[in-house]
Amino acid sequence: MRTYPIPLVPGPVSVPQAVREAYLTDYGSPDLEGDFFELYAACERQLQQILATQNDVTIHSGEGMLALWAALKSVLRPGDRVLAVANGLFGYGIGEMAAQLGAVVETVACAYDDIPDPVRVRAAARRFQPKLITAVHCETPSGTLTPLAELGTISREVDALFYVDFVASGGGVPVRVDEWAIDLGLLGSQKVLSLLPTLSMVTVSSRAWEAVSEVGYVGYDALAPWQDGPARRYLPYTHNWHGLAALHTGCQLLLDEGLAAVYARHEAVAAYCRQRLAGMGVTLFPRRAEIASPTVSAAHVPDGWEWPRLDAALRARGMAAGGNYGPLAGKVFRIGHMGNQARMELVEKGMDVLEEALKR
Ligand SMILES: *Cc1c(COP(=O)(O)O)cnc(C)c1O
């Protein structure tokens, strides 16, 4: 199996050494031991700090998609109206997931290389009167970052719950759950937190908990058991103690560095990456640099190249970058500079490799 000394895939992200060690320690039984529940509570407090919220943060065993499904299934019944604000693969996909659950979905459609216009969202929300408004902070496949404050205000105006996928931004750029009125905020372990893809987290507001108890959804991915389960020390399955130990270590690394310093590091690395791309004549995919996410750079595959050939050239030099999916497949590639990969010397190496590959 090939391994890559220059890991720049936008998730799963390279795992820092201290976190690797947390995974390899022996722990007791998470079903039975007080230590586990203290660890769970400590992780919740760290995540509240990182996400600027006093809401509960539930921590589930399963990768990021589990959070997306858990939150939809737990607050929606067939026939409920959902307004999906979509400007990329995940935004449109969340609308499709809600439709598969029997919700009546209207989509505020936006181009993949742009961010949604709040004026259109407000008009649609007033007319459609949704129960839930969904949005994506960082659209990882297209490298955009959507401002959320105004969308949160709109959700409150029409008394809708606000559901936000910040899987690829949380921890690396400011995410202000309470200020932006986010009722259901979704996070995964394998992006900025730089853990294995084994955990997902959901911030749940009191309004969202009310909807959860009204709907009464039961299942492995249900949110309901997590409302008071951790306090009662009774969980619906044997939890991932190793994952939580790693989560605690990963969050502590961010908090010890200082969140302002972490965000500045992501900004600096992203700016450097984009400057190098421009210097090679590679065009950024988002239409304006101001809407590009500090966690990932998406760029057009240069003229004269097919992505598989460029990908092979990078991999032959030890670098793994990200390809793409859906309408962007083969056309847009990505450099994931988030979490443990938001390091100047790593991105510098990656850009040197790309520059050399493009010269051939
Ligand atoms: C990574 C990611 C997820 C989780 O999906 P996987 O690709 O299955 O890990 C969800 N939303 C966004 C925006 C992501 O970047």
Side-chain angles (χ1 to χ4, degrees):
M1 198 175 51
R2 295 265 291 279
T3 59
Y4 297 98
I6 310 174
L8 287 165
V9 171
V13 162
S14 162
V15 179
Q17 188 59 33
V19 173
R20 290 177 194 220
E21 283 161 18
Y23 280 115
L24 294 177
T25 304
D26 292 317
Y27 305 101
S29 161
D31 298 322
L32 300 172
E33 293 178 38
D35 281 359
F36 174 80
F37 290 94
E38 277 160 33
L39 175 64
Y40 183 100
C43 290
E44 182 175 11
R45 285 192 299 273
Q46 289 172 317
L47 290 166
Q48 285 169 326
Q49 201 176 334
I50 291 168
L51 301 170
T53 186
Q54 295 187 21
N55 290 344
D56 290 340
V57 186
T58 61
I59 307 167
H60 308 257
S61 184
E63 77 94 46
M65 290 308 296
L66 182 97
L68 274 64
W69 280 114
L72 286 179
K73 288 178 163 182
S74 295
V75 302
L76 290 179
R77 282 209 187 93
D80 283 343
R81 283 198 293 276
V82 174
L83 188 70
V85 179
N87 67 322
L89 212 70
F90 284 98
Y92 285 95
I94 289 165
E96 284 160 22
M97 289 159 65
Q100 283 163 7
L101 296 174
V104 179
V105 179
E106 181 169 313
T107 304
V108 182
C110 172
Y112 280 52
D113 60 352
D114 206 351
I115 55 170
D117 176 3
V119 174
R120 288 181 53 221
V121 176
R122 178 172 278 113
R126 286 189 178 160
R127 177 176 41 71
F128 187 59
Q129 292 293 312
K131 174 179 186 179
L132 185 73
I133 296 180
T134 68
V136 178
H137 196 204
C138 169
E139 270 289 356
T140 328
S142 32
T144 56
L145 190 78
T146 292
L148 296 169
E150 188 68 10
L151 302 183
T153 302
I154 295 167
S155 303
R156 284 294 177 277
E157 285 167 10
V158 300
D159 197 26
L161 293 170
F162 189 30
Y163 169 112
V164 177
D165 171 347
F166 46 67
V167 173
S169 54
V173 305
V175 172
R176 311 201 63 82
V177 166
D178 291 356
E179 205 177 305
W180 299 342
I182 297 171
D183 294 294
L184 292 154
L186 320 172
L187 189 61
S189 53
Q190 78 269 31
K191 301 286 170 69
V192 177
L193 297 177
S194 309
L195 312 176
L196 298 179
T198 63
L199 294 178
S200 53
M201 284 67 71
V202 185
T203 67
V204 190
S205 70
S206 54
R207 299 166 82 229
W209 278 130
E210 281 167 33
V212 167
S213 50
E214 272 164 37
V215 166
Y217 169 65
V218 178
Y220 187 86
D221 53 359
L223 291 180
W226 302 88
Q227 184 170 11
D228 58 0
R232 288 194 299 121
R233 305 200 161 189
Y234 189 75
L235 298 181
Y237 47 71
T238 298
H239 215 313
N240 181 348
W241 192 321
H242 298 80
L244 267 101
L247 174 62
H248 189 263
T249 305
C251 288
Q252 204 54 51
L253 289 176
L254 295 181
L255 293 169
D256 287 348
E257 183 178 349
L259 293 176
V262 172
Y263 303 150
R265 171 162 60 84
H266 283 79
E267 290 279 359
V269 164
Y272 172 79
C273 179
R274 285 157 200 170
Q275 178 213 321
R276 288 291 305 269
L277 290 173
M280 296 171 216
V282 176
T283 317
L284 204 63
F285 177 69
R287 2 189 123 160
R288 302 182 302 282
E290 314 89 77
I291 65 170
S293 175
T295 52
V296 54
S297 290
H300 292 277
V301 174
D303 286 342
W305 285 88
E306 302 284 324
W307 170 245
R309 191 163 65 89
L310 181 55
D311 189 29
L314 300 178
R315 284 170 192 265
R317 293 169 171 81
M319 166 173 168
N324 229 308
Y325 317 91
L328 306 182
K331 297 179 187 152
V332 174
F333 72 107
R334 295 162 310 148
I335 310 294
H337 38 68
M338 54 180 75
N340 192 38
Q341 293 173 190
R343 283 184 282 122
M344 201 59 96
E345 72 284 1
L346 173 64
V347 176
E348 197 174 326
K349 268 189 207 155
M351 292 298 106
D352 290 347
V353 164
L354 178 63
E355 190 160 23
E356 188 191 300
L358 288 176
K359 279 185 189 148
R360 303 291 148 122

